[in-house]
mmCIF file of all heavy atoms in Angstrom:
data_model
loop_
_atom_site.group_PDB
_atom_site.id
_atom_site.type_symbol
_atom_site.label_atom_id
_atom_site.label_comp_id
_atom_site.label_asym_id
_atom_site.label_seq_id
_atom_site.Cartn_x
_atom_site.Cartn_y
_atom_site.Cartn_z
ATOM 1 N N PRO A 1 16.412 0.799 15.107
ATOM 2 C CA PRO A 1 14.957 1.131 15.223
ATOM 3 C C PRO A 1 14.452 2.112 14.056
ATOM 4 O O PRO A 1 13.420 1.722 13.486
ATOM 5 C CB PRO A 1 14.797 1.824 16.534
ATOM 6 C CG PRO A 1 16.047 1.734 17.363
ATOM 7 C CD PRO A 1 17.056 1.140 16.270
ATOM 8 N N THR A 2 15.106 3.011 13.738
ATOM 9 C CA THR A 2 14.541 3.928 12.667
ATOM 10 C C THR A 2 14.534 3.360 11.350
ATOM 11 O O THR A 2 13.452 3.573 10.685
ATOM 12 C CB THR A 2 15.537 5.243 12.712
ATOM 13 O OG1 THR A 2 15.624 5.813 13.951
ATOM 14 C CG2 THR A 2 14.875 6.317 11.815
ATOM 15 N N TYR A 3 15.638 2.754 11.015
ATOM 16 C CA TYR A 3 15.599 2.107 9.656
ATOM 17 C C TYR A 3 14.613 0.955 9.675
ATOM 18 O O TYR A 3 13.844 0.919 8.606
ATOM 19 C CB TYR A 3 17.059 1.533 9.436
ATOM 20 C CG TYR A 3 17.346 1.157 7.981
ATOM 21 C CD1 TYR A 3 16.860 1.823 6.904
ATOM 22 C CD2 TYR A 3 18.008 -0.001 7.658
ATOM 23 C CE1 TYR A 3 17.088 1.441 5.622
ATOM 24 C CE2 TYR A 3 18.322 -0.379 6.450
ATOM 25 C CZ TYR A 3 17.797 0.349 5.300
ATOM 26 O OH TYR A 3 18.068 -0.140 4.081
ATOM 27 N N ALA A 4 14.470 0.127 10.597
ATOM 28 C CA ALA A 4 13.505 -0.939 10.635
ATOM 29 C C ALA A 4 12.190 -0.519 10.554
ATOM 30 O O ALA A 4 11.237 -0.846 9.814
ATOM 31 C CB ALA A 4 13.753 -1.822 11.797
ATOM 32 N N ILE A 5 11.776 0.479 11.444
ATOM 33 C CA ILE A 5 10.417 0.960 11.393
ATOM 34 C C ILE A 5 10.061 1.752 10.066
ATOM 35 O O ILE A 5 8.931 1.491 9.608
ATOM 36 C CB ILE A 5 10.259 1.970 12.648
ATOM 37 C CG1 ILE A 5 10.301 1.182 13.943
ATOM 38 C CG2 ILE A 5 8.956 2.819 12.550
ATOM 39 C CD1 ILE A 5 10.403 2.140 15.138
ATOM 40 N N SER A 6 11.035 2.399 9.475
ATOM 41 C CA SER A 6 10.772 3.022 8.230
ATOM 42 C C SER A 6 10.401 2.038 7.207
ATOM 43 O O SER A 6 9.535 2.227 6.369
ATOM 44 C CB SER A 6 11.761 4.092 7.747
ATOM 45 O OG SER A 6 13.021 3.375 7.621
ATOM 46 N N ILE A 7 11.070 0.919 7.196
ATOM 47 C CA ILE A 7 10.795 -0.050 6.268
ATOM 48 C C ILE A 7 9.497 -0.766 6.532
ATOM 49 O O ILE A 7 8.677 -1.040 5.531
ATOM 50 C CB ILE A 7 12.022 -1.098 6.163
ATOM 51 C CG1 ILE A 7 13.202 -0.607 5.613
ATOM 52 C CG2 ILE A 7 11.659 -2.397 5.465
ATOM 53 C CD1 ILE A 7 14.502 -1.365 5.793
ATOM 54 N N VAL A 8 9.141 -0.943 7.770
ATOM 55 C CA VAL A 8 7.919 -1.714 8.125
ATOM 56 C C VAL A 8 6.705 -0.812 7.622
ATOM 57 O O VAL A 8 5.747 -1.248 7.189
ATOM 58 C CB VAL A 8 7.980 -1.860 9.739
ATOM 59 C CG1 VAL A 8 6.503 -2.168 10.143
ATOM 60 C CG2 VAL A 8 8.866 -3.024 10.102
ATOM 61 N N LEU A 9 6.933 0.487 7.986
ATOM 62 C CA LEU A 9 5.766 1.467 7.619
ATOM 63 C C LEU A 9 5.555 1.516 6.161
ATOM 64 O O LEU A 9 4.506 1.588 5.587
ATOM 65 C CB LEU A 9 5.951 2.802 8.249
ATOM 66 C CG LEU A 9 5.957 2.767 9.759
ATOM 67 C CD1 LEU A 9 6.299 4.202 10.244
ATOM 68 C CD2 LEU A 9 4.657 2.230 10.303
ATOM 69 N N THR A 10 6.736 1.646 5.410
ATOM 70 C CA THR A 10 6.539 1.483 3.926
ATOM 71 C C THR A 10 5.935 0.191 3.340
ATOM 72 O O THR A 10 5.103 0.274 2.526
ATOM 73 C CB THR A 10 8.002 1.787 3.309
ATOM 74 O OG1 THR A 10 8.613 2.962 3.712
ATOM 75 C CG2 THR A 10 7.919 1.891 1.787
ATOM 76 N N ALA A 11 6.320 -0.865 3.897
ATOM 77 C CA ALA A 11 5.709 -2.186 3.593
ATOM 78 C C ALA A 11 4.260 -2.201 3.896
ATOM 79 O O ALA A 11 3.514 -2.717 3.205
ATOM 80 C CB ALA A 11 6.523 -3.330 4.212
ATOM 81 N N GLN A 12 3.892 -1.605 5.047
ATOM 82 C CA GLN A 12 2.547 -1.533 5.524
ATOM 83 C C GLN A 12 1.744 -0.744 4.483
ATOM 84 O O GLN A 12 0.698 -1.081 4.014
ATOM 85 C CB GLN A 12 2.483 -0.959 6.970
ATOM 86 C CG GLN A 12 1.133 -0.967 7.539
ATOM 87 C CD GLN A 12 1.160 -0.483 9.000
ATOM 88 O OE1 GLN A 12 2.330 -0.019 9.391
ATOM 89 N NE2 GLN A 12 0.135 -0.512 9.636
ATOM 90 N N LEU A 13 2.343 0.446 4.157
ATOM 91 C CA LEU A 13 1.584 1.334 3.080
ATOM 92 C C LEU A 13 1.512 0.632 1.825
ATOM 93 O O LEU A 13 0.406 0.735 1.160
ATOM 94 C CB LEU A 13 2.391 2.575 2.958
ATOM 95 C CG LEU A 13 1.774 3.591 2.103
ATOM 96 C CD1 LEU A 13 0.465 4.148 2.465
ATOM 97 C CD2 LEU A 13 2.640 4.790 1.978
ATOM 98 N N GLY A 14 2.549 0.020 1.316
ATOM 99 C CA GLY A 14 2.498 -0.713 0.012
ATOM 100 C C GLY A 14 1.456 -1.819 0.026
ATOM 101 O O GLY A 14 0.664 -2.076 -0.870
ATOM 102 N N THR A 15 1.453 -2.560 1.056
ATOM 103 C CA THR A 15 0.473 -3.728 1.219
ATOM 104 C C THR A 15 -0.967 -3.223 1.327
ATOM 105 O O THR A 15 -1.876 -3.707 0.761
ATOM 106 C CB THR A 15 0.836 -4.571 2.532
ATOM 107 O OG1 THR A 15 2.187 -4.992 2.297
ATOM 108 C CG2 THR A 15 0.031 -5.730 2.612
ATOM 109 N N ALA A 16 -1.114 -2.138 2.089
ATOM 110 C CA ALA A 16 -2.434 -1.563 2.262
ATOM 111 C C ALA A 16 -2.931 -1.034 0.908
ATOM 112 O O ALA A 16 -4.157 -1.361 0.455
ATOM 113 C CB ALA A 16 -2.505 -0.364 3.197
ATOM 114 N N LEU A 17 -2.024 -0.450 0.066
ATOM 115 C CA LEU A 17 -2.464 -0.033 -1.242
ATOM 116 C C LEU A 17 -2.805 -1.271 -2.129
ATOM 117 O O LEU A 17 -3.953 -1.122 -2.813
ATOM 118 C CB LEU A 17 -1.329 0.664 -1.891
ATOM 119 C CG LEU A 17 -1.375 1.225 -3.327
ATOM 120 C CD1 LEU A 17 -2.511 2.224 -3.506
ATOM 121 C CD2 LEU A 17 -0.021 1.842 -3.865
ATOM 122 N N LEU A 18 -1.997 -2.275 -2.086
ATOM 123 C CA LEU A 18 -2.434 -3.425 -2.817
ATOM 124 C C LEU A 18 -3.714 -4.072 -2.408
ATOM 125 O O LEU A 18 -4.646 -4.338 -3.318
ATOM 126 C CB LEU A 18 -1.325 -4.616 -2.640
ATOM 127 C CG LEU A 18 -1.590 -5.923 -3.310
ATOM 128 C CD1 LEU A 18 -1.462 -5.846 -4.865
ATOM 129 C CD2 LEU A 18 -0.570 -6.960 -2.840
ATOM 130 N N TRP A 19 -3.938 -4.253 -1.199
ATOM 131 C CA TRP A 19 -5.255 -4.813 -0.713
ATOM 132 C C TRP A 19 -6.492 -3.845 -0.995
ATOM 133 O O TRP A 19 -7.466 -4.437 -1.355
ATOM 134 C CB TRP A 19 -5.110 -5.153 0.804
ATOM 135 C CG TRP A 19 -4.283 -6.274 1.025
ATOM 136 C CD1 TRP A 19 -2.914 -6.382 1.013
ATOM 137 C CD2 TRP A 19 -4.676 -7.659 1.286
ATOM 138 N NE1 TRP A 19 -2.557 -7.691 1.263
ATOM 139 C CE2 TRP A 19 -3.514 -8.573 1.436
ATOM 140 C CE3 TRP A 19 -5.910 -8.285 1.372
ATOM 141 C CZ2 TRP A 19 -3.522 -9.841 1.721
ATOM 142 C CZ3 TRP A 19 -5.996 -9.649 1.706
ATOM 143 C CH2 TRP A 19 -4.883 -10.409 1.851
ATOM 144 N N ASP A 20 -6.214 -2.478 -0.795
ATOM 145 C CA ASP A 20 -7.373 -1.772 -1.082
ATOM 146 C C ASP A 20 -7.679 -1.698 -2.567
ATOM 147 O O ASP A 20 -8.884 -1.716 -2.990
ATOM 148 C CB ASP A 20 -6.954 -0.249 -0.789
ATOM 149 C CG ASP A 20 -7.119 0.067 0.729
ATOM 150 O OD1 ASP A 20 -7.884 -0.794 1.497
ATOM 151 O OD2 ASP A 20 -6.700 1.115 1.164
ATOM 152 N N SER A 21 -6.665 -1.549 -3.412
ATOM 153 C CA SER A 21 -6.931 -1.661 -4.869
ATOM 154 C C SER A 21 -7.572 -2.904 -5.398
ATOM 155 O O SER A 21 -8.312 -2.852 -6.393
ATOM 156 C CB SER A 21 -5.510 -1.492 -5.668
ATOM 157 O OG SER A 21 -4.921 -0.244 -5.145
ATOM 158 N N LEU A 22 -7.280 -4.093 -4.739
ATOM 159 C CA LEU A 22 -7.813 -5.339 -5.079
ATOM 160 C C LEU A 22 -9.165 -5.645 -4.402
ATOM 161 O O LEU A 22 -9.887 -6.513 -4.873
ATOM 162 C CB LEU A 22 -6.839 -6.505 -5.017
ATOM 163 C CG LEU A 22 -5.593 -6.313 -5.751
ATOM 164 C CD1 LEU A 22 -4.575 -7.357 -5.410
ATOM 165 C CD2 LEU A 22 -5.809 -6.449 -7.184
ATOM 166 N N GLY A 23 -9.508 -4.881 -3.258
ATOM 167 C CA GLY A 23 -10.735 -5.063 -2.559
ATOM 168 C C GLY A 23 -10.700 -6.432 -1.943
ATOM 169 O O GLY A 23 -11.828 -7.074 -1.766
ATOM 170 N N TRP A 24 -9.596 -6.999 -1.470
ATOM 171 C CA TRP A 24 -9.514 -8.336 -0.798
ATOM 172 C C TRP A 24 -10.128 -8.275 0.522
ATOM 173 O O TRP A 24 -10.130 -7.288 1.197
ATOM 174 C CB TRP A 24 -8.145 -8.844 -0.876
ATOM 175 C CG TRP A 24 -7.681 -9.364 -2.335
ATOM 176 C CD1 TRP A 24 -8.372 -9.368 -3.327
ATOM 177 C CD2 TRP A 24 -6.294 -9.733 -2.625
ATOM 178 N NE1 TRP A 24 -7.620 -9.888 -4.405
ATOM 179 C CE2 TRP A 24 -6.375 -10.035 -4.028
ATOM 180 C CE3 TRP A 24 -5.151 -9.685 -1.964
ATOM 181 C CZ2 TRP A 24 -5.224 -10.435 -4.687
ATOM 182 C CZ3 TRP A 24 -4.004 -10.079 -2.652
ATOM 183 C CH2 TRP A 24 -4.112 -10.507 -3.985
ATOM 184 N N LEU A 25 -10.452 -9.475 0.972
ATOM 185 C CA LEU A 25 -10.998 -9.687 2.346
ATOM 186 C C LEU A 25 -12.116 -8.700 2.795
ATOM 187 O O LEU A 25 -12.228 -8.254 3.892
ATOM 188 C CB LEU A 25 -9.842 -9.594 3.422
ATOM 189 C CG LEU A 25 -8.835 -10.843 3.339
ATOM 190 C CD1 LEU A 25 -7.652 -10.511 4.297
ATOM 191 C CD2 LEU A 25 -9.490 -12.162 3.584
ATOM 192 N N GLY A 26 -13.033 -8.460 1.897
ATOM 193 C CA GLY A 26 -14.204 -7.588 2.115
ATOM 194 C C GLY A 26 -13.898 -6.161 2.191
ATOM 195 O O GLY A 26 -14.758 -5.440 2.568
ATOM 196 N N LEU A 27 -12.662 -5.721 1.767
ATOM 197 C CA LEU A 27 -12.443 -4.233 1.783
ATOM 198 C C LEU A 27 -13.108 -3.634 0.660
ATOM 199 O O LEU A 27 -13.324 -4.248 -0.366
ATOM 200 C CB LEU A 27 -10.917 -4.014 1.745
ATOM 201 C CG LEU A 27 -9.995 -4.425 2.876
ATOM 202 C CD1 LEU A 27 -8.602 -4.142 2.518
ATOM 203 C CD2 LEU A 27 -10.337 -3.709 4.097
ATOM 204 N N GLU A 28 -13.482 -2.219 0.910
ATOM 205 C CA GLU A 28 -14.109 -1.521 -0.301
ATOM 206 C C GLU A 28 -12.979 -1.350 -1.271
ATOM 207 O O GLU A 28 -11.828 -0.911 -0.941
ATOM 208 C CB GLU A 28 -14.563 -0.239 0.261
ATOM 209 C CG GLU A 28 -15.273 0.629 -0.764
ATOM 210 C CD GLU A 28 -15.745 1.971 -0.414
ATOM 211 O OE1 GLU A 28 -15.925 2.130 0.887
ATOM 212 O OE2 GLU A 28 -15.729 2.927 -1.093
ATOM 213 N N LYS A 29 -13.287 -1.647 -2.497
ATOM 214 C CA LYS A 29 -12.139 -1.548 -3.563
ATOM 215 C C LYS A 29 -12.056 -0.033 -3.862
ATOM 216 O O LYS A 29 -12.979 0.753 -4.205
ATOM 217 C CB LYS A 29 -12.587 -2.310 -4.735
ATOM 218 C CG LYS A 29 -11.560 -2.477 -5.817
ATOM 219 C CD LYS A 29 -12.031 -3.361 -6.965
ATOM 220 C CE LYS A 29 -10.959 -3.564 -7.860
ATOM 221 N NZ LYS A 29 -11.254 -4.572 -8.980
ATOM 222 N N ILE A 30 -10.730 0.376 -3.706
ATOM 223 C CA ILE A 30 -10.374 1.779 -4.092
ATOM 224 C C ILE A 30 -9.494 1.683 -5.235
ATOM 225 O O ILE A 30 -8.423 1.008 -5.420
ATOM 226 C CB ILE A 30 -9.537 2.337 -2.859
ATOM 227 C CG1 ILE A 30 -10.480 2.438 -1.631
ATOM 228 C CG2 ILE A 30 -9.151 3.720 -3.236
ATOM 229 C CD1 ILE A 30 -9.745 2.842 -0.311
ATOM 230 N N PRO A 31 -9.761 2.455 -6.322
ATOM 231 C CA PRO A 31 -9.130 2.393 -7.588
ATOM 232 C C PRO A 31 -7.568 2.744 -7.402
ATOM 233 O O PRO A 31 -7.302 3.657 -6.726
ATOM 234 C CB PRO A 31 -9.734 3.497 -8.454
ATOM 235 C CG PRO A 31 -10.994 3.822 -7.726
ATOM 236 C CD PRO A 31 -10.890 3.375 -6.393
ATOM 237 N N PHE A 32 -6.761 1.943 -7.965
ATOM 238 C CA PHE A 32 -5.285 2.222 -8.053
ATOM 239 C C PHE A 32 -5.123 3.213 -8.982
ATOM 240 O O PHE A 32 -5.510 3.283 -10.046
ATOM 241 C CB PHE A 32 -4.679 0.843 -8.466
ATOM 242 C CG PHE A 32 -3.092 0.973 -8.582
ATOM 243 C CD1 PHE A 32 -2.362 0.823 -7.565
ATOM 244 C CD2 PHE A 32 -2.582 1.226 -9.823
ATOM 245 C CE1 PHE A 32 -0.850 1.064 -7.700
ATOM 246 C CE2 PHE A 32 -1.252 1.465 -10.138
ATOM 247 C CZ PHE A 32 -0.376 1.201 -8.852
ATOM 248 N N THR A 33 -4.136 4.145 -8.572
ATOM 249 C CA THR A 33 -3.682 5.203 -9.376
ATOM 250 C C THR A 33 -2.228 5.289 -9.362
ATOM 251 O O THR A 33 -1.600 4.854 -8.361
ATOM 252 C CB THR A 33 -4.243 6.575 -9.019
ATOM 253 O OG1 THR A 33 -3.653 7.015 -7.718
ATOM 254 C CG2 THR A 33 -5.637 6.576 -9.043
ATOM 255 N N PHE A 34 -1.570 5.683 -10.456
ATOM 256 C CA PHE A 34 -0.060 5.813 -10.396
ATOM 257 C C PHE A 34 0.345 6.909 -9.424
ATOM 258 O O PHE A 34 1.514 6.864 -8.887
ATOM 259 C CB PHE A 34 0.455 6.132 -11.841
ATOM 260 C CG PHE A 34 0.353 4.842 -12.622
ATOM 261 C CD1 PHE A 34 -0.492 4.598 -13.528
ATOM 262 C CD2 PHE A 34 1.348 3.858 -12.506
ATOM 263 C CE1 PHE A 34 -0.522 3.517 -14.360
ATOM 264 C CE2 PHE A 34 1.403 2.728 -13.094
ATOM 265 C CZ PHE A 34 0.527 2.514 -14.135
ATOM 266 N N THR A 35 -0.397 7.851 -9.160
ATOM 267 C CA THR A 35 -0.024 8.900 -8.060
ATOM 268 C C THR A 35 0.151 8.177 -6.722
ATOM 269 O O THR A 35 1.092 8.589 -5.963
ATOM 270 C CB THR A 35 -0.886 9.994 -7.903
ATOM 271 O OG1 THR A 35 -2.233 9.586 -7.679
ATOM 272 C CG2 THR A 35 -0.964 10.800 -9.157
ATOM 273 N N LYS A 36 -0.715 7.132 -6.465
ATOM 274 C CA LYS A 36 -0.454 6.439 -5.170
ATOM 275 C C LYS A 36 0.794 5.648 -5.175
ATOM 276 O O LYS A 36 1.485 5.625 -4.191
ATOM 277 C CB LYS A 36 -1.764 5.520 -4.935
ATOM 278 C CG LYS A 36 -2.912 6.329 -4.611
ATOM 279 C CD LYS A 36 -4.199 5.393 -4.470
ATOM 280 C CE LYS A 36 -5.353 6.106 -4.236
ATOM 281 N NZ LYS A 36 -6.593 5.408 -4.252
ATOM 282 N N LEU A 37 1.022 4.991 -6.349
ATOM 283 C CA LEU A 37 2.282 4.328 -6.567
ATOM 284 C C LEU A 37 3.556 5.108 -6.400
ATOM 285 O O LEU A 37 4.474 4.915 -5.601
ATOM 286 C CB LEU A 37 2.371 3.518 -7.713
ATOM 287 C CG LEU A 37 3.705 2.706 -8.175
ATOM 288 C CD1 LEU A 37 3.921 1.704 -7.060
ATOM 289 C CD2 LEU A 37 3.623 2.195 -9.406
ATOM 290 N N ILE A 38 3.411 6.292 -7.017
ATOM 291 C CA ILE A 38 4.595 7.300 -6.905
ATOM 292 C C ILE A 38 4.736 7.748 -5.413
ATOM 293 O O ILE A 38 5.897 7.857 -4.985
ATOM 294 C CB ILE A 38 4.305 8.460 -7.837
ATOM 295 C CG1 ILE A 38 4.425 8.127 -9.276
ATOM 296 C CG2 ILE A 38 5.215 9.642 -7.444
ATOM 297 C CD1 ILE A 38 3.946 9.121 -10.310
ATOM 298 N N GLY A 39 3.718 7.923 -4.671
ATOM 299 C CA GLY A 39 3.842 8.285 -3.342
ATOM 300 C C GLY A 39 4.679 7.155 -2.499
ATOM 301 O O GLY A 39 5.493 7.571 -1.621
ATOM 302 N N VAL A 40 4.210 5.932 -2.663
ATOM 303 C CA VAL A 40 4.987 4.863 -2.073
ATOM 304 C C VAL A 40 6.481 4.830 -2.509
ATOM 305 O O VAL A 40 7.324 4.695 -1.603
ATOM 306 C CB VAL A 40 4.374 3.520 -2.345
ATOM 307 C CG1 VAL A 40 5.293 2.400 -1.745
ATOM 308 C CG2 VAL A 40 2.996 3.412 -1.669
ATOM 309 N N LEU A 41 6.718 5.079 -3.760
ATOM 310 C CA LEU A 41 8.098 5.127 -4.263
ATOM 311 C C LEU A 41 8.847 6.237 -3.703
ATOM 312 O O LEU A 41 10.093 6.076 -3.426
ATOM 313 C CB LEU A 41 8.065 5.110 -5.800
ATOM 314 C CG LEU A 41 7.597 3.823 -6.526
ATOM 315 C CD1 LEU A 41 7.505 3.993 -7.887
ATOM 316 C CD2 LEU A 41 8.325 2.659 -6.018
#
């Protein structure tokens, strides 16, 4: 459970960052920054 959920939440965060940065599916486009990428890393 712990390892699987941590991977799921990280994938969720990374995917949200991608979709927000691209503004897909009607989301408000939020500028991508390297600090956000560093946070995910």
Side-chain angles (χ1 to χ4, degrees):
T2 306
Y3 191 42
I5 289 171
S6 61
I7 292 171
V8 166
L9 294 178
T10 303
Q12 189 175 3
L13 182 61
T15 303
L17 175 61
L18 175 69
W19 287 76
D20 279 346
S21 298
L22 297 173
W24 287 349
L25 294 177
L27 294 175
E28 180 183 335
K29 191 172 183 175
I30 298 173
F32 174 83
T33 64
F34 283 103
T35 56
K36 292 177 184 174
L37 177 61
I38 290 170
V40 173
L41 294 175

